[in-house]
Amino acid sequence: MKSRNLRNFCIIAHIDHGKSTLADRLLQLTSTVSEREMQAQMLDSMDLEREKGVTIKASAVHMTYRAKDGQEYELNLIDTPGHVDFGYEVSRALQACEGALLVVDASQGVQAQTLANLYLAVDAGLEIIPVINKIDLPAARPVEVTQEIVDLMGVDAEQVITISAKSGINVEAVLEAVVKYIPAPTQDVEKPLRALVFDSHYDSYKGVIAYVRVVDGILNDADEVFALATETRFRPVEIGNFQPQMVAGKRLQAGDVGYVATGLKTVRECRVGDTLTLFSAKAETPLPGYQPAKPMVFAGIYPVENEDYPTLKESLEKLQLNDASLVYEPETSQALNFGFRCGFLGLFHMEIIQERLEREYDLDIIATAPSVEYEVEKTNGETIWIDTPADLPDESTINEIREPWMRIQIFTPQEFYGTVMDLVTKKRGQFVSQEYPAPGRVLLNYDLPLAELIIDFYDQLKSRTKGYASLDYHFHSYRTEKLVRLNVLINNAPLDALTMIVHKDHAFHKGQALVSKLKELIPRQMFEVPIQAAAGGRIISRANVSAIRKDVLSKCYGGDISRKKKLLEKQKKGKKRMKMVGRVEIPQSAFMAVLKLGDEQ
Amino acid sequence: MAYSLYLHIPFCTVRCAYCDFNTYAGLEALIQPYTDALCQEISLVAKSVGGTLPVHTIFLGGGTPSLLSPEQHGQILTCLAQHFQITQQCEITFEANPGTVSLAQLQALKVLGYNRISFGVQSAQPHELKLLDRLHSFEQVLSAVEWARKAGFANLNLDLIYGLPHQALETWENTLFQVLPLGAEHLSLYALSLEYGTPMRAWVEQGKLPSPDPDLAALMYETASARMSDAGYAQYEISNWAKADPALGDGETPALACLHNLQYWRNEAWLGLGAGAHGSAGGYRYSVTRSPKGYIERVMQGTPQPFPFSPAVVESEALDVATAMADTMLLGLRLTREGVSKARFAERFSVEYTQVFSQELRELTNLGLIEQLPERARLVPPAYLLANEAFRRFV
């Protein structure tokens, strides 16, 4: 069989460098989407994505392009998630391609995720086409950024394509380069079917839609399919490709990118990274690299009103249909009653889930401060995993506690070297190495406990470096540390939802900072409310929220009544949004207080 | 049952930094047309009654009613007398700025029928008066009170404000020390409240002024309360005191209490007239358009409306029984001695408040905020400063 003019590629970039805008422009240039249908950031279909300006779910679009050589090419553009929380999905998407467009912002230049993604793409053996975007911005410095890329990749300056995706400048050159430099995929249709699932979403009519790259063999629409990792067997509802909406077809063969509508009920049954093959003629070995999604960050999610518990449960079930990396299980807190312990890929993922619960399901929820998963070896030899700090057993029964450490990369202008170093040290980080991939800037490698990374690290990094530093991180290892449990008592009763696990040397300081923050956040009540922090069986910090002295409308006459009543109604509503714990009204913000301890700590 | 009348005079020489009332500086040219319009509104509303309403209190508030000439006051009072049945004992009050009155003027107003003046004194401290943008001095207050007595006014109220930025407890005590010997029949003590849209709130938000300390304000309130009691005043509302006078037959509420304001707190009917005035009558709560110019136009061109509305009424809501009952509780609890009268409530609504609000009253009693006596429910003294906790149960 004659091999087709086929190109599979993706776009990789640091967040906000214009990946989605470039994708939009390519869809327009290839007439995949008419002008009328064009809406900004076509590929980002969730409202939240468009609002946050990041791509959460990858997507794949089939385009046809008549190149200047007169030939027609089929192009598959695979859009990759732009946030480091979704690093695994990025690596799967890269596996589905032969080439990548590396997009760099003309004013910001190379950033941490540019580097991280570039290294991933090089590892995946992709042909890389460097593109500088946003050259029409006043702050653009294309010459310097070109030099950064030349230094980084060892390419010639002429190979760097400079464009403005937003105004459409020079975008055609990108398509020409795709056709010219990215190799066609191998198209071995004789081998048994192997198709890589690099993404999925849930469709209420067609079940789980698996996004696939066929590596070997042929899939016909009537074939029965088998997923090698999850060992699920199914007959597809339909197969086809995205243009960008789903268009059904008869077959997908080696080299193709498309979708398989599986009819399966949850994304768990057909996971990203899995290999699809034919049930009747199974491939012997799966494609490499499958990892089950592993949550790294955990938090309790509780309804403000106890009676919303069933709604919360239903909403999480629905979200999970579409999000294989969200895990949850029921949890009971003394203070917050019934809720769920949820596991997320990272902080950003957690934020998205919270927002979707509040916005799409209209729930008032309380999220507790995020935690990580600790490995605890007890004196009786038993090893347990703790993702809820309040579950940490008594100190005397613990042999040692191990916590997850990350390898992080911070890419920053050199002038901020000192302040970045200071921040990392305060957060218990350890220096690993440094590189100078671009003039005037330094790439710093550190090891840092994940627990420190998820608490206020990124915000502080941004503020200390005036927004210039960028960050990338990956799990490194579990390490034994001297960790203790920090309890918080409100009105003399422990509030389990505020319990933290902290390093022994930081316990005193953190306890004090947390107590003063809580004092700020908990409004004065009709009686005095003591707030205490305790570690190792001792009270290490204490503050009192003094009783409210004055809460009265001084003036209320005829003309005031309606307005004063509105004011009272507003206060009443505000109080209703607070969580009643014992006799104390606690605002939602207090449960996240630990995230706002700021620089003082 | 007798009505009360509130008439709004929306003119001031300057706008005070803390004030968010409906009043305007620099519109003096509108005063005469406004007076004409007010009389027109009075006649339109009175005619819509289809009879003559008895009126037992009249209150001219502002703004600065003392900016109107005696002739203009005469025009208004004559018009009122033509259209309403003013009772023999009717309390007729006007608000005055101590800096804008003269003996002759006060004498003229007394002759017209006014029998009570409410002076906006605010403070005895020059720097505090300046901070509040008040144009008068404390010396002028002394003269104003003296002239009022000379003119024959036997019922005076003085307004004071505490809890000001930079104000110390001692300064507040000093103000009381200077004001109490004036022997006014009535005193209103208000904690400063930073209202939306006022310059003072903006100054505090911008950090140009320190935010008033609510705990210090609480202490000032308690201190004042003790001083007032020592000086022979009886508290009858959260922010109001009247001279105790057993000879006048003080009941739960002293005889020298402001009868007009009692009408509000007892949730009884009053008509609101003039730009920005609010009224509550005939099963409605309503408000009149705020702009003086718009008011004049609407009233002069308008046609009679069904009672209690005038052509200048722009907002109204029908009061259902549940709201009226809750309002009666909320407002009545402001009356520190009288509270919500069980008999009045039962007579008006044909049901006991103990039935309608059993849960609320039980909770408030358990929290130690109110006491339930056989004939009334009222706040207990330690709860005067925490009364919102009680009020919120009735909204």
Side-chain angles (χ1 to χ4, degrees):
Chain A
M1 184 185 273
K2 184 179 171 296
S3 82
R4 291 179 294 154
N5 282 336
L6 193 55
R7 300 287 184 271
N8 295 320
F9 68 103
C10 59
I11 309 177
I12 54 181
H14 189 75
I15 187 164
D16 281 341
H17 280 198
K19 187 164 57 100
S20 298
T21 316
L22 176 57
D24 290 349
R25 220 43 77 221
L26 298 181
L27 296 189
Q28 264 179 318
L29 268 179
T30 56
S31 308
T32 310
V33 177
S34 71
E35 292 295 331
R36 197 172 50 78
E37 293 166 326
M38 193 69 210
Q39 40 174 325
Q41 302 196 10
M42 189 73 208
L43 293 186
D44 299 348
S45 53
M46 278 194 270
D47 282 352
L48 208 58
E49 285 182 27
R50 205 162 298 157
E51 214 166 279
K52 292 208 171 228
V54 298
T55 313
I56 300 165
K57 300 293 287 183
S59 54
V61 190
H62 184 81
M63 305 179 276
T64 50
Y65 174 63
R66 183 168 294 281
K68 290 188 177 142
D69 62 11
Q71 296 195 53
E72 191 152 285
Y73 290 83
E74 291 178 69
L75 309 180
N76 287 306
L77 165 60
I78 292 161
D79 199 16
T80 58
H83 194 277
V84 58
D85 276 0
F86 305 98
Y88 176 65
E89 291 188 30
V90 176
S91 72
R92 292 308 86 199
L94 296 180
Q95 290 298 325
C97 308
E98 280 74 40
L101 302 174
L102 178 73
V103 176
V104 180
D105 181 301
S107 45
Q108 292 186 20
V110 171
Q111 297 287 315
Q113 282 166 36
T114 317
L115 294 170
N117 286 329
L118 173 63
Y119 297 150
L120 281 178
V122 170
D123 282 350
L126 303 194
E127 181 67 36
I128 290 152
I129 297 170
V131 176
I132 296 179
N133 189 21
K134 309 193 192 180
I135 53 160
D136 54 343
L137 287 187
R141 30 185 201 97
V143 177
E144 290 160 61
V145 175
T146 301
Q147 191 55 46
E148 286 180 10
I149 293 172
V150 168
D151 294 345
L152 190 65
M153 296 176 54
V155 293
D156 292 335
E158 298 80 67
Q159 288 174 264
V160 180
I161 306 171
T162 52
I163 66 161
S164 164
K166 197 162 181 204
S167 20
I169 300 167
N170 208 26
V171 178
E172 185 103 32
V174 175
L175 286 173
E176 285 298 320
V178 165
V179 166
K180 194 165 162 196
Y181 298 114
I182 295 177
T186 54
Q187 296 169 33
D188 190 344
V189 294
E190 303 301 326
K191 286 190 183 167
L193 174 71
R194 288 201 298 176
L196 171 73
V197 179
F198 62 86
D199 194 9
S200 67
H201 81 261
Y202 182 78
D203 179 292
S204 39
Y205 299 105
K206 298 172 185 168
V208 175
I209 311 292
Y211 296 40
V212 297
R213 159 68 192 273
V214 183
V215 177
D216 300 321
I218 297 177
L219 171 63
N220 287 302
D221 62 347
D223 290 340
E224 196 176 4
V225 175
F226 186 72
L228 283 172
T230 54
E231 301 188 335
T232 315
R233 172 185 167 182
F234 61 91
R235 203 174 283 281
V237 178
E238 66 178 51
I239 63 175
N241 58 27
F242 297 96
Q243 300 182 13
Q245 66 281 16
M246 291 193 281
V247 176
K250 289 273 168 226
R251 59 154 51 179
L252 289 169
Q253 62 184 52
D256 277 341
V257 171
Y259 71 87
V260 177
T262 64
L264 297 171
K265 286 288 164 263
T266 77
V267 282
R268 256 137 239 280
E269 296 169 275
C270 181
R271 291 192 177 245
V272 171
D274 205 344
T275 302
L276 302 184
T277 185
L278 294 183
F279 183 70
S280 57
K282 291 189 189 102
E284 278 176 14
T285 47
L287 294 162
Y290 173 76
Q291 290 170 15
K294 187 174 164 19
M296 300 294 285
V297 174
F298 300 82
I301 291 188
Y302 292 83
V304 171
E305 296 290 339
N306 293 334
E307 69 252 29
D308 283 342
Y309 178 82
T311 322
L312 176 59
K313 183 165 185 257
E314 239 169 73
S315 311
L316 284 168
E317 275 164 13
K318 282 190 194 150
L319 285 178
Q320 204 183 41
L321 286 180
N322 213 351
D323 185 347
S325 41
L326 168 67
V327 299
Y328 63 90
E329 58 186 34
E331 176 183 65
T332 314
S333 149
Q334 289 158 5
L336 303 175
N337 292 325
F338 297 104
F340 296 92
R341 194 72 189 167
C342 301
F344 311 95
L345 293 174
L347 263 196
F348 181 73
H349 186 213
M350 168 171 157
E351 238 174 73
I352 287 172
I353 297 292
Q354 276 178 36
E355 274 198 51
R356 293 187 67 183
L357 286 172
E358 288 185 334
R359 214 187 297 193
E360 292 170 32
Y361 298 95
D362 197 26
L363 281 162
D364 273 341
I365 56 168
I366 287 174
T368 63
S371 164
V372 301
E373 194 170 38
Y374 297 91
E375 189 181 354
V376 179
E377 194 187 295
K378 294 173 72 177
T379 45
N380 64 7
E382 192 192 350
T383 298
I384 54 172
W385 293 88
I386 297 291
D387 61 32
T388 307
D391 292 345
L392 190 72
D394 189 78
E395 241 176 284
S396 62
T397 67
I398 294 175
N399 211 6
E400 64 176 40
I401 306 177
R402 293 182 279 271
E403 67 170 337
W405 277 63
M406 309 298 277
R407 172 65 53 87
I408 69 167
Q409 282 88 41
I410 296 171
F411 193 50
T412 175
Q414 269 172 20
E415 58 191 291
F416 301 118
Y417 190 112
T419 181
V420 169
M421 191 61 116
D422 177 58
L423 172 64
V424 172
T425 311
K426 277 191 174 148
K427 294 280 194 179
R428 299 196 280 135
Q430 287 165 2
F431 177 78
V432 176
S433 65
Q434 62 193 39
E435 294 160 47
Y436 294 88
R441 284 188 293 169
V442 57
L443 179 69
L444 296 160
N445 294 297
Y446 297 100
D447 286 345
L448 186 78
L450 177 58
E452 302 285 347
L453 181 69
I454 61 176
I455 305 290
D456 195 34
F457 183 84
Y458 187 64
D459 287 348
Q460 284 202 43
L461 179 67
K462 280 288 176 193
S463 81
R464 280 168 177 248
T465 60
K466 303 192 169 69
Y468 279 112
S470 53
L471 172 71
D472 193 67
Y473 48 86
H474 299 283
F475 173 72
H476 189 259
S477 58
Y478 265 85
R479 295 195 194 175
T480 303
E481 293 289 341
K482 281 189 276 178
L483 300 171
V484 294
R485 180 167 143 173
L486 182 67
N487 289 325
V488 173
L489 294 87
I490 307 264
N491 204 24
N492 301 312
L495 184 51
D496 53 3
L498 282 172
T499 304
M500 294 165 73
I501 293 174
V502 300
H503 195 271
K504 205 170 183 178
D505 300 344
H506 290 194
F508 184 70
H509 214 66
K510 281 225 163 115
Q512 282 194 324
L514 185 58
V515 165
S516 11
K517 193 74 202 176
L518 286 170
K519 186 180 176 202
E520 225 174 87
L521 293 171
I522 295 178
R524 295 168 71 177
Q525 323 261 323
M526 286 184 51
F527 47 90
E528 185 177 71
V529 178
I531 303 172
Q532 294 156 294
R538 284 187 315 123
I539 300 293
I540 52 175
S541 178
R542 179 189 167 112
N544 289 332
V545 177
S546 57
I548 189 161
R549 289 275 279 124
K550 182 169 168 288
D551 176 20
V552 60
L553 296 167
S554 186
K555 252 184 181 183
C556 184
Y557 294 99
D560 294 331
I561 293 170
S562 306
R563 209 164 46 112
K564 295 286 158 76
K565 273 173 67 182
K566 273 191 197 124
L567 188 72
L568 292 166
E569 273 163 28
K570 203 173 136 194
Q571 292 174 353
K572 195 173 179 176
K573 266 193 205 141
K575 281 180 173 280
K576 234 188 133 199
R577 280 181 63 86
M578 286 196 252
K579 190 86 189 175
M580 209 51 183
V581 178
R583 291 163 65 210
V584 185
E585 288 167 336
I586 299 182
Q588 285 163 294
S589 59
F591 295 99
M592 298 289 267
V594 58
L595 291 182
K596 301 177 199 107
L597 298 184
D599 220 0
E600 312 88 306
Q601 61 168 302
Chain B
M1 196 182 52
Y3 276 67
S4 290
L5 303 181
Y6 176 80
L7 290 84
H8 193 71
I9 307 298
F11 305 105
C12 282
T13 316
V14 291
R15 295 238 32 192
C16 300
Y18 61 95
C19 171
D20 71 335
F21 286 175
N22 184 43
T23 185
Y24 306 85
L27 288 187
E28 284 77 1
L30 283 183
I31 291 180
Q32 186 54 51
Y34 184 85
T35 307
D36 298 339
L38 195 53
C39 290
Q40 171 76 1
E41 191 187 22
I42 291 165
S43 102
L44 283 173
V45 172
K47 280 177 188 157
S48 72
V49 180
T52 314
L53 279 188
V55 166
H56 70 146
T57 76
I58 298 170
F59 195 102
L60 265 80
T64 313
S66 51
L67 280 183
L68 267 60
S69 69
E71 290 71 28
Q72 287 159 337
H73 277 284
Q75 193 186 338
I76 293 167
L77 290 186
T78 309
C79 178
L80 286 173
Q82 279 167 2
H83 290 93
F84 292 102
Q85 181 211 322
I86 314 286
T87 62
Q88 200 67 39
Q89 300 296 314
C90 188
E91 176 192 270
I92 310 180
T93 309
F94 67 93
E95 287 184 332
N97 181 332
T100 64
V101 294
S102 67
L103 175 59
Q105 179 197 16
L106 295 181
Q107 283 168 330
L109 293 175
K110 181 74 179 61
V111 171
L112 289 171
Y114 284 107
N115 51 29
R116 188 171 183 271
I117 309 176
S118 175
F119 283 114
V121 175
Q122 320 310 4
S123 168
Q125 316 298 325
H127 64 279
E128 289 175 5
L129 289 169
K130 198 167 166 228
L131 175 71
L132 293 167
D133 274 346
R134 300 298 293 193
L135 288 180
H136 68 268
S137 65
F138 191 65
E139 287 66 35
Q140 284 174 305
V141 171
L142 300 179
S143 313
V145 169
E146 195 189 321
W147 293 334
R149 295 302 188 199
K150 204 172 259 179
F153 284 94
N155 194 352
L156 299 181
N157 170 59
L158 309 179
D159 280 350
L160 296 178
I161 300 185
Y162 63 92
L164 303 173
H166 295 302
Q167 189 180 36
L169 180 61
E170 294 70 31
T171 344
W172 168 237
E173 283 190 285
N174 180 272
T175 290
L176 289 171
F177 179 75
Q178 295 192 59
V179 168
L180 287 173
L182 299 180
E185 284 68 29
H186 191 282
L187 283 160
S188 298
L189 312 182
Y190 300 120
L192 176 72
S193 151
L194 298 171
E195 303 294 345
Y196 283 99
T198 59
M200 190 162 288
R201 187 184 180 97
W203 295 336
V204 169
E205 278 168 359
Q206 291 157 11
K208 292 179 187 163
L209 274 182
S211 183
D213 173 358
D215 289 6
L216 181 57
L219 191 58
M220 289 177 176
Y221 180 82
E222 287 161 354
T223 306
S225 197
R227 296 282 170 282
M228 297 296 288
S229 172
D230 294 347
Y233 288 88
Q235 181 172 16
Y236 70 97
E237 196 262 358
I238 288 174
S239 303
N240 285 280
W241 282 259
K243 250 196 188 157
D245 196 342
L248 291 171
D250 281 355
E252 282 299 328
T253 291
L256 286 168
C258 176
L259 302 179
H260 183 82
N261 289 338
L262 282 175
Q263 189 90 350
Y264 299 145
W265 296 319
R266 288 175 180 156
N267 199 22
E268 285 168 1
W270 81 93
L271 302 178
L273 301 155
H278 292 244
S280 177
Y284 289 92
R285 194 160 276 159
Y286 60 91
S287 66
V288 179
T289 188
R290 289 172 66 85
S291 143
K293 203 154 174 284
Y295 169 78
I296 295 167
E297 281 164 12
R298 279 169 183 266
V299 171
M300 300 315 273
Q301 291 166 10
T303 48
Q305 302 290 313
F307 181 79
F309 305 131
S310 85
V313 168
V314 285
E315 270 183 279
S316 70
E317 55 164 330
L319 289 174
D320 55 46
V321 179
T323 309
M325 288 195 291
D327 288 356
T328 303
M329 298 302 291
L330 190 159
L331 291 163
L333 285 176
R334 294 194 67 89
L335 293 169
T336 51
R337 291 188 169 197
E338 180 179 311
V340 185
S341 151
K342 201 174 212 170
R344 277 178 206 262
F345 191 98
E347 194 192 346
R348 177 165 174 189
F349 298 111
S350 310
V351 59
E352 300 278 335
Y353 61 60
T354 44
Q355 277 174 271
V356 185
F357 299 109
S358 61
Q359 194 196 334
E360 288 82 355
L361 293 169
R362 192 174 53 242
E363 282 175 16
L364 292 173
T365 308
N366 290 342
L367 284 170
L369 292 172
I370 64 163
E371 58 183 352
Q372 295 192 68
L373 304 176
E375 65 282 13
R376 66 193 77 254
R378 64 186 184 191
L379 294 172
V380 296
Y384 295 173
L385 279 170
L386 298 171
N388 284 355
E389 186 64 37
F391 299 158
R392 281 191 288 267
R393 320 251 159 174
F394 299 103
V395 295

